[in-house]
Amino acid sequence: MIEISIAGFKKGEKRVEVEVLPGDLDMGDWDAELAGPVNLVLDLYKNDKGVVIRGRAESVLRLECARCLEKFEQEVSFPVEAVYRFAENPVAVDPWEEGEAPREITPQTVT
């Protein structure tokens, strides 16, 4: 998982460049492995309603040929897009109600 804190970002645009090492990502049941780090270049656009993220991810995969079983490396590059919407009401529970504890508010992914 990749986490980028947006708490300190002011409204507007910010470019973020991140290098993620192969051991920091869960590749699941892929028939490939990362031969190097994943390089992300992301443009974040923050306003009162949320954050839009657009950018690219690039890396090198180590694969195995299905016919001859030789390993080879392949450069990959793909777009990254995500939208996070802030909660409309930052207070989830009235703090004056007895028996209720405030719940954690987290950004929601909009699909």
Side-chain angles (χ1 to χ4, degrees), residues 24-42:
D24 295 338
L25 292 174
D26 178 10
M27 296 291 286
D29 294 332
W30 277 32
D31 290 335
E33 63 184 68
L34 289 170
V38 176
N39 296 302
L40 297 162
V41 178
L42 305 171

Side-chain angles (χ1 to χ4, degrees), residues 31-93:
D31 290 335
E33 63 184 68
L34 289 170
V38 176
N39 296 302
L40 297 162
V41 178
L42 305 171
D43 292 318
L44 288 76
Y45 306 92
K46 183 177 180 182
N47 62 26
D48 291 331
K49 296 183 179 188
V51 178
V52 175
I53 301 170
R54 290 192 178 111
R56 293 207 69 75
E58 297 179 346
S59 190
V60 177
L61 293 178
R62 186 170 296 117
L63 304 160
E64 185 177 271
C65 177
R67 192 178 86 184
C68 69
L69 303 178
E70 283 192 39
K71 293 199 180 243
F72 67 97
E73 293 183 356
Q74 176 69 47
E75 291 183 9
V76 293
S77 177
F78 55 91
V80 175
E81 291 187 5
V83 176
Y84 294 93
R85 183 178 59 202
F86 299 138
E88 290 187 27
N89 181 1
V91 178
V93 177

